[in-house]
Amino acid sequence: GQQLNQSPQSMFIQEGEDVSMNCTSSSIFNTWLWYKQDPGEGPVLLIALYKAGELTSNGRLTAQFGITRKDSFLNISASIPSDVGIYFCAGQNYGGATNKLIFGTGTLLAVQP
Amino acid sequence: NAGVTQTPKFQVLKTGQSMTLQCAQDMNHEYMSWYRQDPGMGLRLIHYSVGAGITDQGEVPNGYNVSRSTTEDFPLRLLSAAPSQTSVYFCASSYSKGQGFYNSPLHFGNGTRLTVT
Protein backbone atom coordinates (compact mmCIF):
# COMPACT_ATOMS: atom_id res chain seq x y z
CA GLY A 1 0.00 0.00 0.00
CA GLN A 2 0.93 3.62 -0.32
CA GLN A 3 3.16 5.09 2.36
CA LEU A 4 4.80 8.41 2.81
CA ASN A 5 8.57 8.74 3.02
CA GLN A 6 9.42 10.39 6.31
CA SER A 7 12.90 11.43 7.37
CA PRO A 8 14.91 11.17 9.42
CA GLN A 9 13.92 7.85 10.96
CA SER A 10 15.31 8.93 14.32
CA MET A 11 16.96 11.91 15.95
CA PHE A 12 18.94 12.19 19.17
CA ILE A 13 19.41 15.79 20.21
CA GLN A 14 20.30 17.95 23.19
CA GLU A 15 17.67 19.95 25.02
CA GLY A 16 17.35 23.41 23.50
CA GLU A 17 18.23 22.36 19.96
CA ASP A 18 15.91 22.91 17.04
CA VAL A 19 14.51 19.92 15.14
CA SER A 20 13.43 19.51 11.53
CA MET A 21 11.73 16.57 9.88
CA ASN A 22 10.01 16.13 6.56
CA CYS A 23 7.63 13.96 4.64
CA THR A 24 7.41 13.34 0.90
CA SER A 25 4.90 11.59 -1.32
CA SER A 26 4.75 10.45 -4.91
CA SER A 27 1.16 11.66 -5.11
CA ILE A 28 -0.63 14.89 -4.30
CA PHE A 29 -2.56 15.49 -1.10
CA ASN A 30 -4.84 18.39 -0.27
CA THR A 31 -4.37 17.99 3.48
CA TRP A 32 -1.25 17.32 5.50
CA LEU A 33 -1.37 16.41 9.18
CA TRP A 34 1.31 15.96 11.82
CA TYR A 35 0.74 13.66 14.81
CA LYS A 36 2.80 12.89 17.90
CA GLN A 37 2.71 9.56 19.68
CA ASP A 38 3.87 9.33 23.28
CA PRO A 39 5.00 5.92 24.57
CA GLY A 40 2.05 3.63 25.25
CA GLU A 41 -0.52 6.02 23.80
CA GLY A 42 -2.25 6.72 20.54
CA PRO A 43 -1.22 9.48 18.14
CA VAL A 44 -2.42 12.98 18.94
CA LEU A 45 -2.89 15.66 16.29
CA LEU A 46 -0.36 18.50 16.46
CA ILE A 47 -0.93 20.56 13.33
CA ALA A 48 -3.24 20.37 10.30
CA LEU A 49 -2.44 22.04 6.97
CA TYR A 50 -5.13 22.59 4.34
CA LYS A 51 -3.58 24.79 1.64
CA ALA A 52 -0.46 24.48 -0.50
CA GLY A 53 2.20 26.85 0.78
CA GLU A 54 0.50 27.22 4.15
CA LEU A 55 2.74 27.78 7.17
CA THR A 56 1.12 27.07 10.54
CA SER A 57 2.45 27.28 14.07
CA ASN A 58 1.37 25.66 17.32
CA GLY A 59 3.58 26.95 20.11
CA ARG A 60 7.12 25.84 19.39
CA LEU A 61 5.97 23.74 16.45
CA THR A 62 5.82 25.06 12.90
CA ALA A 63 4.68 23.05 9.90
CA GLN A 64 4.52 23.86 6.21
CA PHE A 65 2.46 22.44 3.36
CA GLY A 66 4.77 22.19 0.35
CA ILE A 67 3.77 24.13 -2.75
CA THR A 68 3.96 20.98 -4.88
CA ARG A 69 1.40 19.39 -2.50
CA LYS A 70 3.71 16.38 -2.33
CA ASP A 71 5.61 17.26 0.82
CA SER A 72 5.42 18.77 4.26
CA PHE A 73 7.87 19.87 6.94
CA LEU A 74 7.71 20.05 10.72
CA ASN A 75 10.07 22.13 12.83
CA ILE A 76 10.34 22.11 16.61
CA SER A 77 12.22 24.99 18.18
CA ALA A 78 14.07 24.93 21.50
CA SER A 79 13.34 21.26 22.20
CA ILE A 80 12.49 20.11 25.72
CA PRO A 81 12.47 16.59 27.23
CA SER A 82 8.69 16.22 26.85
CA ASP A 83 9.09 16.49 23.07
CA VAL A 84 10.28 12.88 23.16
CA GLY A 85 8.07 10.59 21.09
CA ILE A 86 7.34 9.44 17.58
CA TYR A 87 6.19 12.04 15.08
CA PHE A 88 4.05 10.95 12.15
CA CYS A 89 3.07 12.84 9.06
CA ALA A 90 -0.17 11.92 7.30
CA GLY A 91 -1.64 12.87 3.96
CA GLN A 92 -5.29 13.02 3.09
CA ASN A 93 -7.52 14.00 0.19
CA TYR A 94 -10.78 15.39 1.45
CA GLY A 95 -13.81 15.56 -0.76
CA GLY A 96 -13.84 11.86 -1.31
CA ALA A 97 -16.05 9.24 0.26
CA THR A 98 -13.80 8.42 3.17
CA ASN A 99 -11.54 9.93 5.77
CA LYS A 100 -8.58 7.70 4.98
CA LEU A 101 -5.17 8.92 6.00
CA ILE A 102 -1.89 7.73 4.55
CA PHE A 103 0.75 7.76 7.28
CA GLY A 104 4.48 8.19 7.15
CA THR A 105 6.77 5.70 8.83
CA GLY A 106 7.50 8.02 11.74
CA THR A 107 10.44 9.94 13.20
CA LEU A 108 11.60 8.89 16.66
CA LEU A 109 12.80 11.90 18.64
CA ALA A 110 14.96 11.56 21.74
CA VAL A 111 15.93 14.65 23.73
CA GLN A 112 18.88 14.58 26.11
CA PRO A 113 18.38 16.92 29.09
CA ASN B 1 -15.87 12.59 27.62
CA ALA B 2 -13.85 9.40 27.50
CA GLY B 3 -13.03 9.86 23.80
CA VAL B 4 -12.01 6.63 22.06
CA THR B 5 -11.77 3.64 24.40
CA GLN B 6 -10.05 0.42 23.40
CA THR B 7 -10.09 -2.86 25.27
CA PRO B 8 -8.15 -4.89 26.13
CA LYS B 9 -4.84 -3.01 26.42
CA PHE B 10 -2.80 -6.20 26.11
CA GLN B 11 -3.60 -9.63 24.72
CA VAL B 12 -1.64 -12.80 24.03
CA LEU B 13 -3.14 -15.37 21.68
CA LYS B 14 -2.06 -18.71 20.35
CA THR B 15 -2.08 -19.32 16.61
CA GLY B 16 -5.56 -20.22 15.45
CA GLN B 17 -7.41 -18.61 18.35
CA SER B 18 -10.04 -15.99 17.74
CA MET B 19 -10.77 -12.79 19.59
CA THR B 20 -12.46 -9.41 19.31
CA LEU B 21 -10.79 -6.08 19.95
CA GLN B 22 -13.31 -3.60 21.25
CA CYS B 23 -13.54 0.07 20.34
CA ALA B 24 -16.09 2.58 21.60
CA GLN B 25 -16.36 6.33 21.18
CA ASP B 26 -18.66 8.74 22.98
CA MET B 27 -18.26 11.71 20.66
CA ASN B 28 -21.07 10.80 18.25
CA HIS B 29 -18.52 10.38 15.45
CA GLU B 30 -19.71 9.05 12.11
CA TYR B 31 -16.37 7.77 10.96
CA MET B 32 -14.47 4.97 12.73
CA SER B 33 -11.43 3.03 11.64
CA TRP B 34 -8.86 0.46 12.68
CA TYR B 35 -5.12 0.77 12.10
CA ARG B 36 -2.23 -1.49 12.90
CA GLN B 37 1.19 -0.18 13.80
CA ASP B 38 4.31 -2.17 13.10
CA PRO B 39 7.94 -1.09 13.53
CA GLY B 40 9.15 0.86 10.52
CA MET B 41 5.76 0.64 8.82
CA GLY B 42 3.86 3.50 10.35
CA LEU B 43 0.11 3.09 10.67
CA ARG B 44 -1.79 1.05 8.12
CA LEU B 45 -5.55 1.08 7.68
CA ILE B 46 -7.31 -2.26 8.21
CA HIS B 47 -11.03 -1.47 7.95
CA TYR B 48 -13.17 1.60 8.27
CA SER B 49 -16.80 2.63 8.64
CA VAL B 50 -18.48 5.83 7.52
CA GLY B 51 -21.59 5.18 9.59
CA ALA B 52 -23.68 2.54 11.32
CA GLY B 53 -24.30 -0.43 9.08
CA ILE B 54 -21.54 0.52 6.62
CA THR B 55 -18.02 -0.93 6.57
CA ASP B 56 -15.28 -1.14 4.00
CA GLN B 57 -11.79 -2.52 3.59
CA GLY B 58 -8.65 -0.53 4.06
CA GLU B 59 -5.12 -1.26 3.03
CA VAL B 60 -4.52 -4.51 4.96
CA PRO B 61 -7.90 -6.18 5.60
CA ASN B 62 -7.01 -9.85 5.26
CA GLY B 63 -7.57 -11.86 8.44
CA TYR B 64 -9.83 -9.26 10.03
CA ASN B 65 -13.58 -8.68 10.13
CA VAL B 66 -15.54 -5.69 11.38
CA SER B 67 -19.13 -4.68 11.94
CA ARG B 68 -20.82 -1.40 12.85
CA SER B 69 -24.20 -2.05 14.42
CA THR B 70 -24.19 1.19 16.42
CA THR B 71 -22.60 4.61 15.97
CA GLU B 72 -20.57 4.14 19.16
CA ASP B 73 -18.96 0.74 18.66
CA PHE B 74 -16.65 -0.69 16.03
CA PRO B 75 -15.22 -4.09 17.04
CA LEU B 76 -12.38 -5.77 15.16
CA ARG B 77 -12.46 -9.55 14.94
CA LEU B 78 -9.56 -11.89 14.35
CA LEU B 79 -11.11 -15.19 13.28
CA SER B 80 -7.94 -17.31 13.32
CA ALA B 81 -4.95 -15.46 14.74
CA ALA B 82 -1.57 -15.75 13.03
CA PRO B 83 1.88 -14.60 14.22
CA SER B 84 1.86 -12.01 11.41
CA GLN B 85 -0.97 -10.29 13.26
CA THR B 86 1.28 -9.48 16.20
CA SER B 87 1.04 -5.71 16.30
CA VAL B 88 -0.34 -2.69 18.09
CA TYR B 89 -3.90 -1.94 17.00
CA PHE B 90 -5.40 1.52 17.10
CA CYS B 91 -9.00 2.53 16.72
CA ALA B 92 -9.67 6.07 15.51
CA SER B 93 -12.78 8.13 14.89
CA SER B 94 -13.79 11.48 13.49
CA TYR B 95 -16.97 13.48 13.18
CA SER B 96 -17.31 13.64 9.44
CA LYS B 97 -16.42 11.26 6.66
CA GLY B 98 -16.14 13.41 3.58
CA GLN B 99 -16.29 17.04 2.64
CA GLY B 100 -16.06 19.18 5.69
CA PHE B 101 -14.05 16.56 7.54
CA TYR B 102 -11.07 18.83 7.56
CA ASN B 103 -12.42 20.37 10.72
CA SER B 104 -12.68 16.97 12.37
CA PRO B 105 -9.34 15.19 12.49
CA LEU B 106 -8.95 11.61 13.64
CA HIS B 107 -9.00 10.92 17.38
CA PHE B 108 -7.08 7.81 18.38
CA GLY B 109 -7.51 5.37 21.24
CA ASN B 110 -4.53 4.25 23.31
CA GLY B 111 -4.11 0.99 21.46
CA THR B 112 -4.28 -2.76 22.02
CA ARG B 113 -0.99 -4.62 22.05
CA LEU B 114 -1.52 -8.07 20.59
CA THR B 115 1.00 -10.91 20.56
CA VAL B 116 0.28 -14.12 18.65
CA THR B 117 2.52 -17.06 19.50
Side-chain angles (χ1 to χ4, degrees), chain B residues 1 18 26 45-46 50 73 98 103 117:
Chain B
N1 283 346
S18 63
D26 61 359
L45 182 65
I46 305 171
V50 298
D73 300 298
N103 285 327
T117 61

Side-chain angles (χ1 to χ4, degrees), chain B residues 7-107:
Chain B
T7 56
K9 291 188 176 181
F10 302 93
Q11 182 70 50
V12 179
L13 292 177
K14 293 185 177 179
T15 298
Q17 286 185 317
S18 63
M19 79 158 296
T20 299
L21 280 63
Q22 301 291 343
C23 175
Q25 52 88 12
D26 61 359
M27 298 174 282
N28 200 30
H29 283 175
E30 292 183 34
Y31 181 89
M32 297 186 74
S33 56
W34 277 100
Y35 287 85
R36 61 176 289 173
Q37 183 178 26
D38 302 294
M41 300 290 289
L43 289 138
R44 293 181 292 169
L45 182 65
I46 305 171
H47 284 286
Y48 65 94
S49 169
V50 298
I54 305 169
T55 63
D56 208 343
Q57 295 182 347
E59 186 183 351
V60 287
N62 293 339
Y64 307 96
N65 282 346
V66 292
S67 60
R68 185 89 180 272
S69 57
T70 67
T71 299
E72 295 78 19
D73 300 298
F74 191 44
L76 178 72
R77 297 184 186 83
L78 283 71
L79 298 179
S80 179
S84 61
Q85 293 178 305
T86 294
S87 187
V88 181
Y89 291 86
F90 287 99
C91 180
S93 70
S94 69
Y95 180 73
S96 177
K97 59 182 180 292
Q99 285 188 332
F101 77 79
Y102 57 87
N103 285 327
S104 57
L106 282 178
H107 295 261

Side-chain angles (χ1 to χ4, degrees), chain A residues 10 16 37 42 44 46-47 51 70 73 84 87 90 95 97 100-101:
Chain A
S10 60
Q37 184 179 23
V44 174
L46 296 174
I47 291 179
K51 192 186 303 182
K70 292 184 177 182
F73 305 87
V84 165
Y87 291 79
K100 287 191 286 188
L101 296 180

Side-chain angles (χ1 to χ4, degrees), chain A residues 7-8 21 36 44 59 72 75 81 103:
Chain A
S7 65
M21 59 190 78
K36 182 192 177 194
V44 174
S72 181
N75 296 318
F103 281 87

